[in-house]
Amino acid sequence: MSKFSLLDHELIPHHEIADEDELKSILKHYNIGREDLPKIKVSDPVVKEIGAEVGDVVKITRNSATAGEAMYYRYVID
Amino acid sequence: MTISETTVEGMIKDLPIPHNLKQVLLEDAIKVGVTKKEMEEIIERVMEEYEKSCVEPCEAVGVVSAQSIGEPGTQMTMRTFHYAGVAEINVTLGLPRLIEIVDARKNPSTPMMTVYLDEEISDDRDMATKTGWEIEATHIDHLADVTTDLANMQLVIDLNERSMSKREIDKESIIEKLEENLKVSVAPSKDIPNQIIVTPESPSYRELLQLAKKIKTVTLKGIEGIKRVVIRKEGDEYILYTEGSKLREVLEIDGVNKTRTTTNNIGEIYDVFGIEAARNAIIKEAMDTLREQGLSVDIRHIMLVADIMTCDGEIKQIGRHGISGEKASVFARAAFEVTVNHLLDAGLRGEVDSLNGVSENIIVGQPIKLGTGDVHLVARNPLES
């Protein structure tokens, strides 16, 4: 089987580990803590692929049908 | 004087509006050619319009979504239909399918995959057929006639050479597979070519009949669980549709396009591709189901449902065992389903309801925290400050 990246699949939007500074400004803007964000499991195949760990925040660049491009953040949980 | 592209870009880059809105604004402004003053006014008007069309704070978006999906849902058919594209494969559509999606069933009643081929071979009919045979599960019934020989207490398999060459499978591999799965003696016949003799361990009548039944379930080639593969040409490429779904296994087959191949089994997508892909799949499946019935529901409602279903990192159903069952308030849970059980359990545990949500406040007859009900007036003492 040829190796392929999960992130290449049409259904999977781009995932990356969120930059701490950027995250701080976003949390401040919404006045929330990072555990208030939506969650993603550490066992999620894409989380494994990008190597995020519990406590990290994953930044997801969605291709939105309404907004074109939308940012979404998920907090990595056990 | 018209301003340059970079100036326009700089002006709209940091506006708090969606990406595609910026794109349209940028393209149009450049096409028409505007002065700085005009551009400023355009931006001001766009922002005004955008803010007007945003959801108001405290608006009950969930209720609006529920009604917007529920009302067209009453017009959906209760019947299971043939799939619009592939006439040969039966797929659950209409209301039963929509219920399946929001209930987050682990296995849909009619799993189906859409398998795309690698670009190099996607226009090659022979390669498409070959890949199809790699995927479709081949059983002994497809290749041979199995007869029970009661006199000699054995199973006689007469192989059909044509179907064997069609599926690219030879006698040796059949024998090997049967031996491995049945754990009995499997040997080619001495006298007749293309015949295989299977003898049960002990020559009992019961065992022979059991063997005859069991031999039909052995998968000789392909992926177990894929009952059928249908090949269709769409545009320039051949696409395989399968009855039955095994995403992980199919992705490992050579020639399968790993970036486009998908399934209608959302649970499987979650396992293989993760939560974000599952969210996209929920939106896609729900929209397709509604569209196929000729109903147009705004995608934002479906997106809200998909977001709620996936916000905890796993797929939760909308219902007693998912979103509604996890509500903090006893009254809210009791208002949904199995009222008495919830009240009884809460009474036994001595639960406290702080009346923060909507349902519980309606039940006790208080104003709810929605819309203007969530806004408090604070009077500032004019003598201060």
Side-chain angles (χ1 to χ4, degrees), chain A residues 1 4 6 8-13 15 38-41 44-46 60 62 65-69 74, chain B residues 18-20 252 258-261 271-277 279-280 299-300 307 310-311 313-314:
Chain A
M1 180 197 165
F4 80 107
L6 277 176
D8 291 338
H9 197 278
E10 275 182 355
L11 275 175
I12 307 174
H15 289 57
K39 316 289 189 292
I40 191 166
K41 290 206 166 172
D44 193 278
V46 186
I60 297 151
R62 285 176 175 172
T66 49
E69 199 175 76
R74 283 184 187 271
Chain B
H19 182 77
N20 57 354
E252 280 177 23
K258 292 169 185 66
T259 62
R260 290 166 73 203
T261 296
D271 288 339
V272 182
F273 291 156
I275 192 74
E276 276 294 317
R279 173 189 175 268
N280 283 335
I299 196 166
R300 290 170 186 87
D307 274 338
T310 57
C311 74
E314 58 185 359

mmCIF file of all heavy atoms in Angstrom, chain A residues 1 4 6 8-13 15 38-41 44-46 60 62 65-69 74, chain B residues 18-20 252 258-261 271-277 279-280 299-300 307 310-311 313-314:
data_model
loop_
_atom_site.group_PDB
_atom_site.id
_atom_site.type_symbol
_atom_site.label_atom_id
_atom_site.label_comp_id
_atom_site.label_asym_id
_atom_site.label_seq_id
_atom_site.Cartn_x
_atom_site.Cartn_y
_atom_site.Cartn_z
ATOM 1 N N MET A 1 0.849 -1.199 0.000
ATOM 2 C CA MET A 1 0.000 0.000 0.000
ATOM 3 C C MET A 1 0.884 1.249 0.000
ATOM 4 O O MET A 1 1.789 1.390 0.794
ATOM 5 C CB MET A 1 -0.858 -0.032 1.264
ATOM 6 C CG MET A 1 -1.778 1.152 1.394
ATOM 7 S SD MET A 1 -2.355 1.298 3.075
ATOM 8 C CE MET A 1 -2.996 2.950 3.033
ATOM 9 N N PHE A 4 -0.095 7.393 2.103
ATOM 10 C CA PHE A 4 -0.729 8.654 1.739
ATOM 11 C C PHE A 4 -1.103 9.399 3.005
ATOM 12 O O PHE A 4 -1.263 8.799 4.061
ATOM 13 C CB PHE A 4 -1.960 8.409 0.859
ATOM 14 C CG PHE A 4 -3.190 8.004 1.602
ATOM 15 C CD1 PHE A 4 -4.227 8.898 1.750
ATOM 16 C CD2 PHE A 4 -3.317 6.746 2.155
ATOM 17 C CE1 PHE A 4 -5.372 8.536 2.436
ATOM 18 C CE2 PHE A 4 -4.456 6.377 2.844
ATOM 19 C CZ PHE A 4 -5.491 7.277 2.980
ATOM 20 N N LEU A 6 -3.572 11.375 5.342
ATOM 21 C CA LEU A 6 -5.017 11.512 5.554
ATOM 22 C C LEU A 6 -5.493 12.901 5.157
ATOM 23 O O LEU A 6 -6.592 13.072 4.672
ATOM 24 C CB LEU A 6 -5.339 11.271 7.028
ATOM 25 C CG LEU A 6 -5.480 9.832 7.499
ATOM 26 C CD1 LEU A 6 -5.701 9.818 8.987
ATOM 27 C CD2 LEU A 6 -6.640 9.150 6.796
ATOM 28 N N ASP A 8 -4.860 14.595 2.761
ATOM 29 C CA ASP A 8 -5.125 14.770 1.336
ATOM 30 C C ASP A 8 -6.556 14.427 0.965
ATOM 31 O O ASP A 8 -7.001 14.746 -0.128
ATOM 32 C CB ASP A 8 -4.186 13.864 0.507
ATOM 33 C CG ASP A 8 -2.760 14.328 0.586
ATOM 34 O OD1 ASP A 8 -2.573 15.514 0.906
ATOM 35 O OD2 ASP A 8 -1.854 13.522 0.328
ATOM 36 N N HIS A 9 -7.246 13.740 1.872
ATOM 37 C CA HIS A 9 -8.592 13.293 1.503
ATOM 38 C C HIS A 9 -9.565 14.465 1.423
ATOM 39 O O HIS A 9 -9.494 15.392 2.204
ATOM 40 C CB HIS A 9 -9.107 12.258 2.504
ATOM 41 C CG HIS A 9 -10.264 11.474 1.969
ATOM 42 N ND1 HIS A 9 -11.542 11.967 2.009
ATOM 43 C CD2 HIS A 9 -10.335 10.273 1.362
ATOM 44 C CE1 HIS A 9 -12.349 11.081 1.446
ATOM 45 N NE2 HIS A 9 -11.642 10.042 1.051
ATOM 46 N N GLU A 10 -10.464 14.338 0.449
ATOM 47 C CA GLU A 10 -11.455 15.396 0.207
ATOM 48 C C GLU A 10 -12.290 15.743 1.431
ATOM 49 O O GLU A 10 -12.639 16.889 1.643
ATOM 50 C CB GLU A 10 -12.429 14.916 -0.880
ATOM 51 C CG GLU A 10 -11.966 15.163 -2.279
ATOM 52 C CD GLU A 10 -13.006 14.693 -3.280
ATOM 53 O OE1 GLU A 10 -14.014 14.104 -2.880
ATOM 54 O OE2 GLU A 10 -12.769 14.918 -4.473
ATOM 55 N N LEU A 11 -12.617 14.744 2.230
ATOM 56 C CA LEU A 11 -13.514 14.976 3.359
ATOM 57 C C LEU A 11 -12.798 15.599 4.557
ATOM 58 O O LEU A 11 -13.434 16.074 5.475
ATOM 59 C CB LEU A 11 -14.138 13.647 3.801
ATOM 60 C CG LEU A 11 -15.384 13.175 3.066
ATOM 61 C CD1 LEU A 11 -15.781 11.796 3.552
ATOM 62 C CD2 LEU A 11 -16.537 14.130 3.265
ATOM 63 N N ILE A 12 -11.471 15.513 4.565
ATOM 64 C CA ILE A 12 -10.739 15.967 5.748
ATOM 65 C C ILE A 12 -10.175 17.363 5.514
ATOM 66 O O ILE A 12 -9.346 17.549 4.636
ATOM 67 C CB ILE A 12 -9.612 14.977 6.095
ATOM 68 C CG1 ILE A 12 -10.185 13.562 6.210
ATOM 69 C CG2 ILE A 12 -8.912 15.390 7.370
ATOM 70 C CD1 ILE A 12 -9.147 12.500 6.400
ATOM 71 N N PRO A 13 -10.611 18.339 6.308
ATOM 72 C CA PRO A 13 -10.047 19.683 6.176
ATOM 73 C C PRO A 13 -8.629 19.729 6.746
ATOM 74 O O PRO A 13 -8.187 18.780 7.373
ATOM 75 C CB PRO A 13 -11.010 20.545 6.993
ATOM 76 C CG PRO A 13 -11.625 19.620 7.973
ATOM 77 C CD PRO A 13 -11.631 18.265 7.348
ATOM 78 N N HIS A 15 -5.733 20.263 9.167
ATOM 79 C CA HIS A 15 -5.559 20.328 10.621
ATOM 80 C C HIS A 15 -4.124 20.761 10.903
ATOM 81 O O HIS A 15 -3.212 20.328 10.231
ATOM 82 C CB HIS A 15 -5.716 18.952 11.273
ATOM 83 C CG HIS A 15 -7.114 18.407 11.278
ATOM 84 N ND1 HIS A 15 -7.846 18.236 10.135
ATOM 85 C CD2 HIS A 15 -7.903 17.972 12.294
ATOM 86 C CE1 HIS A 15 -9.031 17.715 10.451
ATOM 87 N NE2 HIS A 15 -9.099 17.542 11.750
ATOM 88 N N PRO A 38 -14.592 23.200 21.471
ATOM 89 C CA PRO A 38 -15.015 21.852 21.097
ATOM 90 C C PRO A 38 -13.838 20.890 21.225
ATOM 91 O O PRO A 38 -12.685 21.306 21.206
ATOM 92 C CB PRO A 38 -15.426 22.005 19.635
ATOM 93 C CG PRO A 38 -15.708 23.444 19.461
ATOM 94 C CD PRO A 38 -14.810 24.170 20.402
ATOM 95 N N LYS A 39 -14.140 19.617 21.376
ATOM 96 C CA LYS A 39 -13.071 18.647 21.657
ATOM 97 C C LYS A 39 -12.711 17.814 20.434
ATOM 98 O O LYS A 39 -13.475 17.709 19.493
ATOM 99 C CB LYS A 39 -13.530 17.690 22.768
ATOM 100 C CG LYS A 39 -14.229 18.341 23.938
ATOM 101 C CD LYS A 39 -13.272 19.146 24.781
ATOM 102 C CE LYS A 39 -13.917 19.619 26.070
ATOM 103 N NZ LYS A 39 -14.979 20.614 25.864
ATOM 104 N N ILE A 40 -11.544 17.231 20.507
ATOM 105 C CA ILE A 40 -11.150 16.208 19.547
ATOM 106 C C ILE A 40 -10.370 15.169 20.342
ATOM 107 O O ILE A 40 -9.652 15.527 21.277
ATOM 108 C CB ILE A 40 -10.312 16.798 18.383
ATOM 109 C CG1 ILE A 40 -10.144 15.780 17.262
ATOM 110 C CG2 ILE A 40 -8.964 17.316 18.855
ATOM 111 C CD1 ILE A 40 -9.638 16.378 15.952
ATOM 112 N N LYS A 41 -10.572 13.910 20.013
ATOM 113 C CA LYS A 41 -9.908 12.871 20.798
ATOM 114 C C LYS A 41 -8.465 12.684 20.348
ATOM 115 O O LYS A 41 -8.163 12.837 19.172
ATOM 116 C CB LYS A 41 -10.668 11.556 20.646
ATOM 117 C CG LYS A 41 -11.989 11.619 21.336
ATOM 118 C CD LYS A 41 -12.446 10.250 21.734
ATOM 119 C CE LYS A 41 -13.592 10.391 22.704
ATOM 120 N NZ LYS A 41 -14.230 9.147 22.999
ATOM 121 N N ASP A 44 -8.002 10.259 17.606
ATOM 122 C CA ASP A 44 -8.503 10.593 16.272
ATOM 123 C C ASP A 44 -7.382 10.383 15.243
ATOM 124 O O ASP A 44 -6.248 10.798 15.474
ATOM 125 C CB ASP A 44 -8.937 12.070 16.273
ATOM 126 C CG ASP A 44 -9.758 12.443 15.050
ATOM 127 O OD1 ASP A 44 -9.159 12.710 14.004
ATOM 128 O OD2 ASP A 44 -10.984 12.474 15.175
ATOM 129 N N PRO A 45 -7.683 9.732 14.122
ATOM 130 C CA PRO A 45 -6.630 9.427 13.153
ATOM 131 C C PRO A 45 -5.835 10.661 12.696
ATOM 132 O O PRO A 45 -4.624 10.590 12.517
ATOM 133 C CB PRO A 45 -7.384 8.823 11.971
ATOM 134 C CG PRO A 45 -8.737 8.522 12.422
ATOM 135 C CD PRO A 45 -8.976 9.183 13.717
ATOM 136 N N VAL A 46 -6.523 11.777 12.529
ATOM 137 C CA VAL A 46 -5.829 12.974 12.042
ATOM 138 C C VAL A 46 -4.941 13.568 13.137
ATOM 139 O O VAL A 46 -3.842 14.060 12.865
ATOM 140 C CB VAL A 46 -6.838 14.019 11.519
ATOM 141 C CG1 VAL A 46 -6.118 15.180 10.896
ATOM 142 C CG2 VAL A 46 -7.785 13.385 10.512
ATOM 143 N N ILE A 60 -8.330 23.992 12.731
ATOM 144 C CA ILE A 60 -8.874 23.335 11.548
ATOM 145 C C ILE A 60 -9.353 24.398 10.564
ATOM 146 O O ILE A 60 -10.104 25.297 10.928
ATOM 147 C CB ILE A 60 -10.036 22.403 11.949
ATOM 148 C CG1 ILE A 60 -9.505 21.293 12.857
ATOM 149 C CG2 ILE A 60 -10.712 21.815 10.738
ATOM 150 C CD1 ILE A 60 -10.492 20.762 13.826
ATOM 151 N N ARG A 62 -11.569 24.890 7.736
ATOM 152 C CA ARG A 62 -12.649 24.212 7.033
ATOM 153 C C ARG A 62 -12.977 24.901 5.723
ATOM 154 O O ARG A 62 -12.904 26.120 5.625
ATOM 155 C CB ARG A 62 -13.922 24.240 7.882
ATOM 156 C CG ARG A 62 -13.900 23.292 9.036
ATOM 157 C CD ARG A 62 -15.162 23.500 9.816
ATOM 158 N NE ARG A 62 -15.301 22.544 10.896
ATOM 159 C CZ ARG A 62 -16.259 22.625 11.807
ATOM 160 N NH1 ARG A 62 -17.113 23.618 11.759
ATOM 161 N NH2 ARG A 62 -16.333 21.727 12.751
ATOM 162 N N ALA A 65 -19.285 25.909 3.151
ATOM 163 C CA ALA A 65 -20.166 26.202 2.020
ATOM 164 C C ALA A 65 -20.712 27.616 2.113
ATOM 165 O O ALA A 65 -21.106 28.204 1.116
ATOM 166 C CB ALA A 65 -21.311 25.205 1.978
ATOM 167 N N THR A 66 -20.741 28.176 3.323
ATOM 168 C CA THR A 66 -21.324 29.498 3.480
ATOM 169 C C THR A 66 -20.265 30.595 3.584
ATOM 170 O O THR A 66 -20.491 31.702 3.128
ATOM 171 C CB THR A 66 -22.207 29.560 4.736
ATOM 172 O OG1 THR A 66 -21.461 29.023 5.823
ATOM 173 C CG2 THR A 66 -23.463 28.763 4.553
ATOM 174 N N ALA A 67 -19.127 30.282 4.177
ATOM 175 C CA ALA A 67 -18.140 31.339 4.414
ATOM 176 C C ALA A 67 -16.888 31.184 3.557
ATOM 177 O O ALA A 67 -15.974 31.984 3.646
ATOM 178 C CB ALA A 67 -17.752 31.380 5.881
ATOM 179 N N GLY A 68 -16.842 30.159 2.720
ATOM 180 C CA GLY A 68 -15.642 29.941 1.914
ATOM 181 C C GLY A 68 -14.588 29.221 2.707
ATOM 182 O O GLY A 68 -14.286 28.071 2.479
ATOM 183 N N GLU A 69 -14.051 29.923 3.675
ATOM 184 C CA GLU A 69 -13.019 29.334 4.515
ATOM 185 C C GLU A 69 -13.340 29.695 5.959
ATOM 186 O O GLU A 69 -13.643 30.843 6.245
ATOM 187 C CB GLU A 69 -11.664 29.912 4.108
ATOM 188 C CG GLU A 69 -10.490 29.095 4.558
ATOM 189 C CD GLU A 69 -9.209 29.687 3.999
ATOM 190 O OE1 GLU A 69 -8.767 30.719 4.545
ATOM 191 O OE2 GLU A 69 -8.661 29.125 3.044
ATOM 192 N N ARG A 74 -10.223 22.904 18.059
ATOM 193 C CA ARG A 74 -10.638 21.783 18.910
ATOM 194 C C ARG A 74 -9.536 21.495 19.924
ATOM 195 O O ARG A 74 -8.361 21.482 19.591
ATOM 196 C CB ARG A 74 -10.894 20.531 18.065
ATOM 197 C CG ARG A 74 -12.219 20.544 17.313
ATOM 198 C CD ARG A 74 -12.418 19.248 16.586
ATOM 199 N NE ARG A 74 -13.575 19.249 15.710
ATOM 200 C CZ ARG A 74 -14.794 18.893 16.089
ATOM 201 N NH1 ARG A 74 -15.020 18.507 17.332
ATOM 202 N NH2 ARG A 74 -15.780 18.907 15.240
ATOM 203 N N PRO B 18 -16.742 36.980 6.405
ATOM 204 C CA PRO B 18 -16.281 35.689 5.882
ATOM 205 C C PRO B 18 -15.372 35.816 4.672
ATOM 206 O O PRO B 18 -15.418 36.805 3.937
ATOM 207 C CB PRO B 18 -17.581 34.976 5.490
ATOM 208 C CG PRO B 18 -18.636 35.632 6.266
ATOM 209 C CD PRO B 18 -18.206 37.044 6.460
ATOM 210 N N HIS B 19 -14.585 34.775 4.509
ATOM 211 C CA HIS B 19 -13.565 34.725 3.476
ATOM 212 C C HIS B 19 -14.109 34.966 2.072
ATOM 213 O O HIS B 19 -13.568 35.759 1.306
ATOM 214 C CB HIS B 19 -12.887 33.351 3.548
ATOM 215 C CG HIS B 19 -11.786 33.175 2.582
ATOM 216 N ND1 HIS B 19 -10.545 33.733 2.756
ATOM 217 C CD2 HIS B 19 -11.747 32.523 1.404
ATOM 218 C CE1 HIS B 19 -9.784 33.413 1.733
ATOM 219 N NE2 HIS B 19 -10.481 32.677 0.895
ATOM 220 N N ASN B 20 -15.191 34.282 1.725
ATOM 221 C CA ASN B 20 -15.663 34.407 0.338
ATOM 222 C C ASN B 20 -16.296 35.770 0.064
ATOM 223 O O ASN B 20 -16.318 36.236 -1.070
ATOM 224 C CB ASN B 20 -16.603 33.254 -0.050
ATOM 225 C CG ASN B 20 -17.796 33.136 0.857
ATOM 226 O OD1 ASN B 20 -17.885 33.847 1.858
ATOM 227 N ND2 ASN B 20 -18.714 32.254 0.518
ATOM 228 N N GLU B 252 -6.886 0.054 1.076
ATOM 229 C CA GLU B 252 -5.585 -0.604 0.960
ATOM 230 C C GLU B 252 -5.402 -1.332 -0.363
ATOM 231 O O GLU B 252 -4.334 -1.880 -0.633
ATOM 232 C CB GLU B 252 -5.395 -1.566 2.136
ATOM 233 C CG GLU B 252 -4.960 -0.797 3.374
ATOM 234 C CD GLU B 252 -4.826 -1.671 4.575
ATOM 235 O OE1 GLU B 252 -4.646 -2.879 4.406
ATOM 236 O OE2 GLU B 252 -4.909 -1.120 5.686
ATOM 237 N N LYS B 258 -7.077 7.124 -2.968
ATOM 238 C CA LYS B 258 -7.202 7.249 -1.520
ATOM 239 C C LYS B 258 -7.649 8.622 -1.063
ATOM 240 O O LYS B 258 -7.874 8.849 0.118
ATOM 241 C CB LYS B 258 -5.863 6.889 -0.864
ATOM 242 C CG LYS B 258 -5.546 5.426 -1.036
ATOM 243 C CD LYS B 258 -4.124 5.099 -0.651
ATOM 244 C CE LYS B 258 -3.815 3.659 -0.953
ATOM 245 N NZ LYS B 258 -3.840 3.360 -2.396
ATOM 246 N N THR B 259 -7.760 9.549 -1.986
ATOM 247 C CA THR B 259 -8.147 10.889 -1.566
ATOM 248 C C THR B 259 -9.612 11.197 -1.850
ATOM 249 O O THR B 259 -10.125 12.201 -1.382
ATOM 250 C CB THR B 259 -7.288 11.958 -2.263
ATOM 251 O OG1 THR B 259 -7.511 11.862 -3.664
ATOM 252 C CG2 THR B 259 -5.822 11.746 -1.977
ATOM 253 N N ARG B 260 -10.287 10.341 -2.613
ATOM 254 C CA ARG B 260 -11.681 10.663 -2.940
ATOM 255 C C ARG B 260 -12.670 9.589 -2.514
ATOM 256 O O ARG B 260 -13.852 9.877 -2.355
ATOM 257 C CB ARG B 260 -11.814 10.889 -4.450
ATOM 258 C CG ARG B 260 -11.143 12.174 -4.906
ATOM 259 C CD ARG B 260 -11.008 12.192 -6.412
ATOM 260 N NE ARG B 260 -12.278 12.412 -7.073
ATOM 261 C CZ ARG B 260 -12.522 12.051 -8.332
ATOM 262 N NH1 ARG B 260 -11.611 11.458 -9.038
ATOM 263 N NH2 ARG B 260 -13.695 12.285 -8.865
ATOM 264 N N THR B 261 -12.173 8.357 -2.388
ATOM 265 C CA THR B 261 -13.057 7.236 -2.054
ATOM 266 C C THR B 261 -13.792 7.488 -0.742
ATOM 267 O O THR B 261 -13.198 7.942 0.230
ATOM 268 C CB THR B 261 -12.218 5.958 -1.958
ATOM 269 O OG1 THR B 261 -11.684 5.701 -3.249
ATOM 270 C CG2 THR B 261 -13.046 4.781 -1.514
ATOM 271 N N ASP B 271 -14.146 6.459 12.224
ATOM 272 C CA ASP B 271 -13.056 5.573 12.631
ATOM 273 C C ASP B 271 -11.808 5.755 11.780
ATOM 274 O O ASP B 271 -10.691 5.695 12.279
ATOM 275 C CB ASP B 271 -13.504 4.106 12.543
ATOM 276 C CG ASP B 271 -14.495 3.757 13.641
ATOM 277 O OD1 ASP B 271 -14.509 4.481 14.654
ATOM 278 O OD2 ASP B 271 -15.243 2.788 13.483
ATOM 279 N N VAL B 272 -11.997 5.943 10.483
ATOM 280 C CA VAL B 272 -10.848 5.965 9.578
ATOM 281 C C VAL B 272 -10.326 7.386 9.344
ATOM 282 O O VAL B 272 -9.121 7.599 9.300
ATOM 283 C CB VAL B 272 -11.220 5.306 8.226
ATOM 284 C CG1 VAL B 272 -10.031 5.282 7.294
ATOM 285 C CG2 VAL B 272 -11.732 3.898 8.452
ATOM 286 N N PHE B 273 -11.235 8.343 9.212
ATOM 287 C CA PHE B 273 -10.823 9.697 8.831
ATOM 288 C C PHE B 273 -10.914 10.717 9.963
ATOM 289 O O PHE B 273 -10.447 11.835 9.818
ATOM 290 C CB PHE B 273 -11.680 10.208 7.664
ATOM 291 C CG PHE B 273 -11.443 9.498 6.367
ATOM 292 C CD1 PHE B 273 -12.419 9.477 5.380
ATOM 293 C CD2 PHE B 273 -10.242 8.872 6.113
ATOM 294 C CE1 PHE B 273 -12.195 8.824 4.185
ATOM 295 C CE2 PHE B 273 -10.012 8.222 4.917
ATOM 296 C CZ PHE B 273 -10.994 8.200 3.949
ATOM 297 N N GLY B 274 -11.561 10.369 11.063
ATOM 298 C CA GLY B 274 -11.609 11.306 12.173
ATOM 299 C C GLY B 274 -12.869 12.144 12.228
ATOM 300 O O GLY B 274 -13.741 12.063 11.364
ATOM 301 N N ILE B 275 -12.932 12.954 13.274
ATOM 302 C CA ILE B 275 -14.169 13.653 13.623
ATOM 303 C C ILE B 275 -14.551 14.726 12.599
ATOM 304 O O ILE B 275 -15.724 14.922 12.296
ATOM 305 C CB ILE B 275 -14.056 14.237 15.060
ATOM 306 C CG1 ILE B 275 -15.403 14.703 15.582
ATOM 307 C CG2 ILE B 275 -13.070 15.382 15.131
ATOM 308 C CD1 ILE B 275 -16.317 13.587 15.957
ATOM 309 N N GLU B 276 -13.569 15.444 12.068
ATOM 310 C CA GLU B 276 -13.903 16.520 11.123
ATOM 311 C C GLU B 276 -14.482 15.958 9.835
ATOM 312 O O GLU B 276 -15.399 16.522 9.248
ATOM 313 C CB GLU B 276 -12.666 17.376 10.835
ATOM 314 C CG GLU B 276 -12.409 18.452 11.861
ATOM 315 C CD GLU B 276 -13.492 19.528 11.885
ATOM 316 O OE1 GLU B 276 -13.915 19.965 10.806
ATOM 317 O OE2 GLU B 276 -13.918 19.908 12.979
ATOM 318 N N ALA B 277 -13.930 14.829 9.388
ATOM 319 C CA ALA B 277 -14.463 14.189 8.187
ATOM 320 C C ALA B 277 -15.870 13.682 8.454
ATOM 321 O O ALA B 277 -16.744 13.762 7.595
ATOM 322 C CB ALA B 277 -13.558 13.046 7.746
ATOM 323 N N ARG B 279 -18.001 15.022 10.470
ATOM 324 C CA ARG B 279 -18.883 16.187 10.425
ATOM 325 C C ARG B 279 -19.247 16.512 8.986
ATOM 326 O O ARG B 279 -20.411 16.734 8.648
ATOM 327 C CB ARG B 279 -18.194 17.385 11.076
ATOM 328 C CG ARG B 279 -18.981 18.676 10.920
ATOM 329 C CD ARG B 279 -18.190 19.873 11.369
ATOM 330 N NE ARG B 279 -18.916 21.097 11.090
ATOM 331 C CZ ARG B 279 -18.779 21.801 9.974
ATOM 332 N NH1 ARG B 279 -17.969 21.390 9.030
ATOM 333 N NH2 ARG B 279 -19.468 22.895 9.792
ATOM 334 N N ASN B 280 -18.234 16.532 8.112
ATOM 335 C CA ASN B 280 -18.500 16.802 6.705
ATOM 336 C C ASN B 280 -19.427 15.755 6.106
ATOM 337 O O ASN B 280 -20.281 16.082 5.285
ATOM 338 C CB ASN B 280 -17.186 16.833 5.912
ATOM 339 C CG ASN B 280 -16.433 18.128 6.124
ATOM 340 O OD1 ASN B 280 -17.034 19.148 6.450
ATOM 341 N ND2 ASN B 280 -15.123 18.093 5.951
ATOM 342 N N ILE B 299 -28.248 25.092 4.404
ATOM 343 C CA ILE B 299 -27.151 24.253 4.889
ATOM 344 C C ILE B 299 -26.725 24.641 6.313
ATOM 345 O O ILE B 299 -26.203 23.821 7.065
ATOM 346 C CB ILE B 299 -25.962 24.298 3.915
ATOM 347 C CG1 ILE B 299 -24.995 23.150 4.198
ATOM 348 C CG2 ILE B 299 -25.258 25.638 3.954
ATOM 349 C CD1 ILE B 299 -23.990 22.899 3.120
ATOM 350 N N ARG B 300 -26.994 25.865 6.725
ATOM 351 C CA ARG B 300 -26.579 26.313 8.064
ATOM 352 C C ARG B 300 -27.263 25.510 9.171
ATOM 353 O O ARG B 300 -26.673 25.244 10.210
ATOM 354 C CB ARG B 300 -26.885 27.797 8.245
ATOM 355 C CG ARG B 300 -25.997 28.691 7.399
ATOM 356 C CD ARG B 300 -26.503 30.118 7.427
ATOM 357 N NE ARG B 300 -25.749 30.945 6.511
ATOM 358 C CZ ARG B 300 -26.039 31.093 5.239
ATOM 359 N NH1 ARG B 300 -27.052 30.449 4.713
ATOM 360 N NH2 ARG B 300 -25.319 31.861 4.460
ATOM 361 N N ASP B 307 -22.397 20.129 13.885
ATOM 362 C CA ASP B 307 -21.457 20.666 14.882
ATOM 363 C C ASP B 307 -21.798 20.167 16.280
ATOM 364 O O ASP B 307 -20.914 19.793 17.053
ATOM 365 C CB ASP B 307 -21.481 22.195 14.864
ATOM 366 C CG ASP B 307 -20.545 22.754 13.818
ATOM 367 O OD1 ASP B 307 -19.613 22.028 13.414
ATOM 368 O OD2 ASP B 307 -20.744 23.907 13.395
ATOM 369 N N THR B 310 -20.871 16.534 16.793
ATOM 370 C CA THR B 310 -19.452 16.188 16.823
ATOM 371 C C THR B 310 -18.636 17.010 17.816
ATOM 372 O O THR B 310 -17.419 16.845 17.872
ATOM 373 C CB THR B 310 -18.827 16.369 15.424
ATOM 374 O OG1 THR B 310 -19.022 17.712 14.994
ATOM 375 C CG2 THR B 310 -19.429 15.428 14.417
ATOM 376 N N CYS B 311 -19.283 17.893 18.605
ATOM 377 C CA CYS B 311 -18.493 18.838 19.394
ATOM 378 C C CYS B 311 -17.705 18.179 20.528
ATOM 379 O O CYS B 311 -16.769 18.762 21.056
ATOM 380 C CB CYS B 311 -19.355 19.973 19.928
ATOM 381 S SG CYS B 311 -20.414 19.465 21.265
ATOM 382 N N GLY B 313 -15.930 15.455 20.223
ATOM 383 C CA GLY B 313 -14.857 14.632 19.683
ATOM 384 C C GLY B 313 -15.310 13.261 19.235
ATOM 385 O O GLY B 313 -14.532 12.485 18.715
ATOM 386 N N GLU B 314 -16.570 12.946 19.501
ATOM 387 C CA GLU B 314 -17.115 11.685 18.982
ATOM 388 C C GLU B 314 -18.535 11.966 18.515
ATOM 389 O O GLU B 314 -19.116 12.984 18.873
ATOM 390 C CB GLU B 314 -17.096 10.600 20.066
ATOM 391 C CG GLU B 314 -17.879 10.991 21.290
ATOM 392 C CD GLU B 314 -17.776 9.976 22.413
ATOM 393 O OE1 GLU B 314 -17.109 8.964 22.218
ATOM 394 O OE2 GLU B 314 -18.370 10.218 23.458
#
